[in-house]
Amino acid sequence: VIELPKPDKVKIINLVNNEEWFLNVEEIEKLTLDFSEFNPGFYNIIFYKRVEEIYSFTMIKCFPLVVTYDSELKKYTTSPTLW
């Protein structure tokens, strides 16, 4: 078990459309994040203590979509699969 500092803010960034959400979690004893309502795509989740980033991770939620990267536009796009 690794003890990590308790964050007071969480920032979630949808890397497909650059939409951002900020969560104030300072008063929450046990933090649980539920991404079931999020659209498929790539998300950066960044945890902050005051203004300092303390840890982060990237989540890929892509089923049943294909995610492709357009190097000219420098962005990800998603398209439905036929599988």
Side-chain angles (χ1 to χ4, degrees), residues 64-78:
L65 299 177
V66 173
V67 180
T68 54
Y69 181 71
D70 185 326
S71 58
E72 289 183 22
L73 296 176
K74 296 189 174 166
K75 67 181 244 182
Y76 294 94
T77 57
T78 58

Side-chain angles (χ1 to χ4, degrees), residues 10-82:
V10 179
K11 179 180 180 181
I12 302 170
I13 306 166
N14 180 332
L15 297 175
V16 174
N17 63 12
N18 291 318
E19 189 173 357
E20 296 181 353
W21 298 270
F22 293 90
L23 307 173
N24 184 354
V25 296
E26 190 171 14
E27 302 296 322
I28 298 173
E29 188 63 34
K30 182 177 178 182
L31 177 61
T32 302
L33 298 174
D34 179 2
F35 296 97
S36 62
E37 298 296 320
F38 281 64
N39 290 325
F42 289 85
Y43 295 88
N44 275 347
I45 296 85
I46 306 164
F47 298 84
Y48 294 92
K49 183 70 172 181
R50 295 181 181 77
V51 295
E52 181 183 353
E53 181 180 323
I54 53 176
Y55 41 92
S56 65
F57 66 92
T58 300
M59 178 185 74
I60 303 169
K61 184 175 180 181
C62 61
F63 299 106
L65 299 177
V66 173
V67 180
T68 54
Y69 181 71
D70 185 326
S71 58
E72 289 183 22
L73 296 176
K74 296 189 174 166
K75 67 181 244 182
Y76 294 94
T77 57
T78 58
S79 56
T81 64
L82 300 177

